[in-house]
Amino acid sequence: MSSNVPFPELSPLPTHLAEAVGSLIHAPHWMGLALHLPLRFEDKVTVTAMDALQVGQKANLVASVVGSDIQYKPRKQLRVWVEDGEVSLVLRWLHFYPGLRDKMPDGARIHISGQIRQGYGTLEIVHPQIRIARPDDNTESGSPIEPGHQPSGVLEPVYPSTGTLKQSDWHRWMKKLPEACFVDTLPNKLIQQHQLLPWNIALQTLHGQAAPSQLFDLNLRTHAAWVRVKVDELLAQQLLLQEYRNQRTQEKAQSLKKAVRKGLVEQFLRSLPFTLTGAQQRAVRDIFEDLKNPYPMQRLLQGDVGSGKTLVAALACIKAVECGHQAALLAPTEVLAEQHVFKLKPLLERVGIRCGKLQGAMKKSEKKATLQALAQGEVDVVIGTHALVQDTVTFKSLALVVVDEQHRFGVAQRLSLIAKAGNGLLAHQLMMSATPIPRTLAQTYLSDLAVSNLDEKPPGRQPIITKLLSQKKREQLVAAIEHEIEKGQQVYWVCPLIEDSETLDLQAAEATYTALIELMPNRRIALLHGKQDSKLKQSTMAAFSAGQVDLLVSTTVIEVGVDVGNASLMVIDQAERFGLAQLHQLRGRVGRGSLQSVCVLLYGSELSQTAKQRLKAMHDSDDGFYLAERDLEIRGPGELLGKRQSGLPSLRYADPLVDKDLLNTARAIAQQMPLDDVNTRRHIQRWTEDTPWWLS
Ligand code: ADP
Ligand code: MG
């Protein structure tokens, strides 16, 4: 990454140009400009001279309307007279829609194409294709395309732009691209082997050197020029990932091979009341293999809610302890950290592992004691929130960091924790996510990250029944809630985010809470939201876990990880306001025990198309991997895995959903390009300057 070869195409743009294009291009150098490629292409340039028209010829014309009428005899028809210079022509429609004549008022400039025929005394075109010239057409301003002069016969690119920049500006700037932008970064041999267009031709084509016959392929982005661009973009990403992989294997970590406290893992497994699922076994085996390496593990453990990730994480921690080291589990919220303590501590203590917790809200003395115990190695596994990341936290020998809901943490936070391994080592890192990244994306974005999928649920789970219910029928729910509570079970009622305002959120949740108390005065109802102090949150959650609360009204603070097996009904209020992944997460709070569970999605009257698709997908499936793929289709990859998530520049031209073959090509080429080669460096730098989230 560090080698800074001064390639001329990476030299900065002149100030005025850099200011003008601003954030429209991906980097403020010439190559950034060169890679600002057209949205679409328009054929409006092959103009035939009006005074050279010949009968039978297919012509493209630009002319002004000078009159029109609708004739009824011998049959109904619309006639429009157009003129350019001395020459005039009749356009004739025998079939036409009522408003067509109004589209061509006198004086309007129009583009016409069609076949020239001999009419009554003048030439004419029957049923021509017409287009009204727009103000930004070159025929109206800038460099006029004069009928009679046949320009180069090229398609005109239309660039992504903003209101203040004209297309003609972009055209002008692209003409100034330095020669260096057109230098190929792929060796000839590879270009031929993969039947790619040379880079200079691809780039020239896209910036306007294409014949009108290519219009279709160019606009569909199937043209060889686009193929070359997409392959290059994917290739840059593959090369970058390869480089990260190399870098990582040069870092050092504890190699967890030698057991100091022998048999700890075995003992733990024997103490469980069940056996691991096949998927859990595979994940554990892979993790243990990774932990043996002398360089840090980077593994993502993906699995649906309830698939048993926590147990896998526990086993990883136990392995670290077995080998004489410490482990830390980092959770995004106090509620979640508390849940982990509640579930894991007894399990770990059963095999003699000393378990501690560290949270912002702890008593000073308690915190101090934990810090000391960690530093002296008297605590083996610590569970905590962001408090773990702080400078005051030191370990005797930290070998493993487990990050729950990794997407909630910034790269810097995770890095500062794994750096606490000390002695120039990094801790191994296991990241957990209940929001699976669709396979299609994982292939492109995560090829440096080992992934374990828990795609098999523990046995005995009943599928959750999902019902859609209109807000208008909200009252019906009271009976259903009463029924569950009568059976001794518990209920969640989740209130949505409103316009990203926490205050409004709260009001909505509080109003619902009050209303439900009025409807069910004899039930134990509690309210949980993010603005409460953490003591109150914890005691509310503890009361709910202990079955002392029948109905928990909450905002989305319960989204992740909260685990109360006795909860069997979940109501999601205004479900249309949630994303698919979030809905699925929330729904996963029920159906965690062996009880038949129900999730009710309350929806409002005005649903957008995508909201309908989301709710339908939720109704149709409770498989997180399936829903992740659906989410990808509904939202598109850009939004789902934006730059923040991937850390790689998001793909602008290639689309992993449709360009799978090109991805394979890019992979094959990446294998054949040495990372230290000057062309490889050049290639990477043209396309990217960023670092993925799991490294930075
Ligand atoms: P996740 O973290 O993936 O949402 P958890 O690890 O919290 O899932 O597991 C959910 C529940 O399933 C827990 O109560 C856990 O004890 C139980 N569980 C985990 N693995 C198994 C298994 N192999 N067989 C039976 N129950 C399991
Ligand atoms: Mg969990």
Side-chain angles (χ1 to χ4, degrees):
M1 278 290 76
S2 46
S3 68
N4 268 325
V5 193
F7 299 118
E9 68 268 34
L10 302 180
S11 64
L13 293 171
T15 319
H16 74 280
L17 192 47
E19 276 168 12
V21 296
S23 59
L24 283 166
I25 66 174
H26 89 108
H29 49 55
W30 287 104
M31 202 61 211
L33 183 63
L35 292 176
H36 187 75
L37 297 173
L39 276 176
R40 61 171 195 280
F41 297 81
E42 288 183 358
D43 180 6
K44 50 187 176 188
V45 287
T46 324
V47 178
T48 320
M50 288 264 288
D51 54 7
L53 293 179
Q54 299 193 356
V55 173
Q57 176 190 14
K58 271 199 142 176
N60 292 312
L61 309 166
V62 181
S64 301
V65 175
V66 291
S68 60
D69 69 2
I70 294 180
Q71 245 195 350
Y72 293 90
K73 284 180 197 163
R75 54 177 297 188
K76 189 178 170 188
Q77 53 183 293
L78 165 65
R79 295 186 301 180
V80 176
W81 285 267
V82 298
E83 209 173 78
D84 193 70
E86 303 286 283
V87 193
S88 67
L89 187 76
V90 176
L91 310 178
R92 194 188 297 276
W93 282 267
L94 302 172
H95 309 284
F96 56 98
Y97 62 91
L100 183 59
R101 186 182 174 191
D102 299 338
K103 289 263 164 82
M104 295 173 281
D106 290 1
R109 207 103 172 115
I110 56 177
H111 293 257
I112 307 151
S113 51
Q115 192 161 29
I116 306 295
R117 303 191 343 169
Q118 184 61 57
Y120 306 100
T122 53
L123 296 178
E124 65 174 30
I125 302 179
V126 177
H127 291 158
Q129 290 192 323
I130 57 150
R131 191 161 56 76
I132 313 299
R134 285 194 323 258
D136 68 344
D137 270 0
N138 282 351
T139 43
E140 294 294 309
S141 64
S143 55
I145 295 168
E146 293 293 348
H149 121 252
Q150 180 110 14
S152 45
V154 296
L155 292 175
E156 194 173 293
V158 180
Y159 292 95
S161 193
T162 59
T164 51
L165 295 180
K166 291 205 290 285
Q167 287 300 320
S168 51
D169 293 331
W170 289 103
H171 296 158
R172 194 156 34 82
W173 297 330
M174 293 305 179
K175 290 209 173 69
K176 295 187 181 149
L177 291 176
E179 204 42 46
C181 292
F182 297 86
V183 172
D184 217 309
T185 46
L186 297 198
N188 254 330
K189 194 182 94 204
L190 289 177
I191 293 176
Q192 277 162 21
Q193 184 186 336
H194 296 280
Q195 300 178 338
L196 296 170
L197 214 56
W199 178 248
N200 61 344
I201 295 180
L203 206 54
Q204 279 158 6
T205 302
L206 294 172
H207 285 307
Q209 297 299 311
S213 61
Q214 300 176 317
L215 181 67
F216 195 67
D217 281 340
L218 280 171
N219 278 336
L220 279 181
R221 304 205 169 184
T222 50
H223 191 280
W226 279 119
V227 168
R228 176 66 207 261
V229 164
K230 294 182 197 183
V231 166
D232 278 30
E233 183 178 40
L234 291 164
L235 173 64
Q237 208 171 51
Q238 293 301 313
L239 290 169
L240 200 61
L241 289 168
Q242 208 169 302
E243 177 155 284
Y244 292 139
R245 191 156 41 231
N246 289 356
Q247 276 180 6
R248 181 159 60 82
T249 51
Q250 276 153 27
E251 305 278 9
K252 300 260 174 295
Q254 290 288 358
S255 149
L256 300 180
K257 273 183 185 160
K258 256 238 234 42
V260 177
R261 293 163 73 172
K262 281 209 174 60
L264 213 51
V265 170
E266 277 304 309
Q267 204 188 330
F268 175 78
L269 285 174
R270 272 200 313 268
S271 79
L272 287 176
F274 46 71
T275 53
L276 299 186
T277 64
Q280 282 172 322
Q281 282 171 22
R282 282 190 295 280
V284 169
R285 200 174 52 222
D286 291 344
I287 290 167
F288 284 7
E289 276 308 308
D290 285 355
L291 293 177
K292 285 183 195 161
N293 291 326
Y295 54 88
M297 165 171 84
Q298 301 250 335
R299 184 171 283 274
L300 178 66
L301 178 62
Q302 309 195 102
D304 227 333
V305 280
S307 59
K309 293 183 296 296
T310 313
L311 201 69
V312 173
L315 277 157
C317 293
I318 296 168
K319 186 72 185 173
V321 177
E322 187 180 80
C323 294
H325 301 282
Q326 292 164 296
L329 194 158
L330 180 62
T333 64
E334 301 205 341
V335 170
L336 205 51
E338 206 52 48
Q339 286 276 322
H340 281 303
V341 173
F342 182 74
K343 291 231 135 181
L344 279 180
K345 202 170 172 204
L347 283 178
L348 296 175
E349 282 176 349
R350 247 192 315 194
V351 292
I353 291 178
R354 295 159 301 177
C355 204
K357 71 169 177 179
L358 195 68
Q359 295 185 10
M362 279 163 53
K363 274 208 214 86
K364 260 211 174 110
S365 56
E366 232 184 315
K367 210 184 251 176
K368 205 170 149 203
T370 308
L371 289 179
Q372 207 162 25
L374 281 175
Q376 292 172 357
E378 284 156 10
V379 158
D380 301 311
V381 176
V382 64
I383 299 171
T385 56
H386 299 83
L388 281 174
V389 176
Q390 278 152 18
D391 288 343
T392 46
V393 183
T394 54
F395 291 83
K396 177 151 185 258
S397 176
L398 177 70
L400 170 72
V401 168
V402 178
V403 187
D404 196 9
E405 300 301 324
Q406 52 80 16
H407 60 276
R408 301 261 201 123
F409 292 95
V411 173
Q413 287 174 317
R414 282 186 290 113
L415 274 183
S416 64
L417 186 51
I418 63 172
K420 288 182 192 291
N423 291 332
L425 302 179
L426 293 180
H428 294 287
Q429 204 177 169
L430 179 65
M431 292 168 266
M432 296 200 282
S433 171
T435 319
I437 296 168
R439 267 172 247 283
T440 14
L441 283 191
Q443 277 183 357
T444 3
Y445 287 97
L446 305 180
S447 45
D448 177 47
L449 193 65
V451 179
S452 294
N453 288 322
L454 295 186
D455 46 11
E456 181 186 346
K457 289 212 172 152
R461 292 283 159 76
Q462 298 211 38
I464 302 168
I465 297 172
T466 300
K467 297 200 159 148
L468 303 178
L469 191 71
S470 161
Q471 287 285 5
K472 292 184 205 126
K473 301 186 182 162
R474 210 179 155 98
E475 309 281 294
Q476 290 182 7
L477 272 171
V478 174
I481 292 173
E482 291 274 10
H483 183 70
E484 289 306 293
I485 297 174
E486 215 46 60
K487 285 191 290 180
Q489 291 163 20
Q490 291 164 282
V491 180
Y492 291 104
W493 184 296
V494 183
C495 304
L497 278 168
I498 295 171
E499 329 241 309
D500 281 333
S501 150
E502 281 190 37
T503 326
L504 286 178
D505 268 8
L506 227 62
Q507 284 168 6
E510 274 165 357
T512 304
Y513 172 62
T514 317
L516 288 170
I517 288 179
E518 270 173 34
L519 288 167
M520 293 176 277
N522 299 321
R523 301 305 179 187
R524 297 167 299 176
I525 304 178
L527 178 64
L528 183 72
H529 60 70
K531 276 281 162 81
Q532 288 165 333
D533 78 52
S534 51
K535 279 264 155 30
L536 180 58
K537 271 189 277 192
Q538 282 176 21
S539 66
T540 306
M541 260 335 283
F544 190 67
S545 298
Q548 293 155 1
V549 167
D550 301 316
L551 171 59
L552 184 66
V553 180
S554 81
T555 55
T556 52
V557 289
I558 60 147
E559 184 187 338
V560 287
V562 173
D563 190 358
V564 176
N566 192 44
S568 57
L569 173 61
M570 160 149 305
V571 180
I572 304 181
D573 209 343
Q574 301 187 46
E576 70 271 18
R577 290 179 181 267
F578 294 93
L580 194 46
Q582 209 179 9
L583 285 173
H584 182 60
Q585 280 288 308
L586 287 167
R587 178 171 59 182
R589 299 305 111 216
V590 293
R592 298 180 77 81
S594 53
L595 297 172
Q596 175 63 69
S597 298
V598 179
C599 174
V600 178
L601 304 176
L602 278 175
Y603 61 89
S605 50
E606 279 171 23
L607 292 186
S608 69
Q609 195 54 35
T610 52
K612 274 185 200 157
Q613 287 177 318
R614 283 199 299 267
L615 295 180
K616 181 173 184 317
M618 280 294 290
H619 179 262
D620 291 349
S621 171
D622 71 348
D623 173 351
F625 289 96
Y626 167 82
L627 289 174
E629 298 282 345
R630 283 291 295 138
D631 205 19
L632 179 62
E633 284 168 36
I634 296 172
R635 288 203 279 168
E639 220 190 304
L640 191 63
L641 203 70
K643 190 162 169 168
R644 211 183 82 81
Q645 257 278 37
S646 73
L648 288 178
S650 39
L651 292 170
R652 287 175 294 157
Y653 303 116
D655 175 350
L657 288 188
V658 289
D659 297 320
K660 280 191 195 145
D661 293 348
L662 303 186
L663 179 58
N664 288 334
T665 306
R667 286 230 177 89
I669 296 175
Q671 297 303 316
Q672 299 175 71
M673 288 182 67
L675 276 178
D676 51 5
D677 185 83
V678 67
N679 276 324
T680 309
R681 310 250 38 102
R682 189 170 198 154
H683 189 87
I684 294 175
Q685 290 189 17
R686 279 182 172 187
W687 283 95
T688 172
E689 299 168 316
D690 283 308
T691 321
W693 53 258
W694 60 94
L695 269 179
S696 100

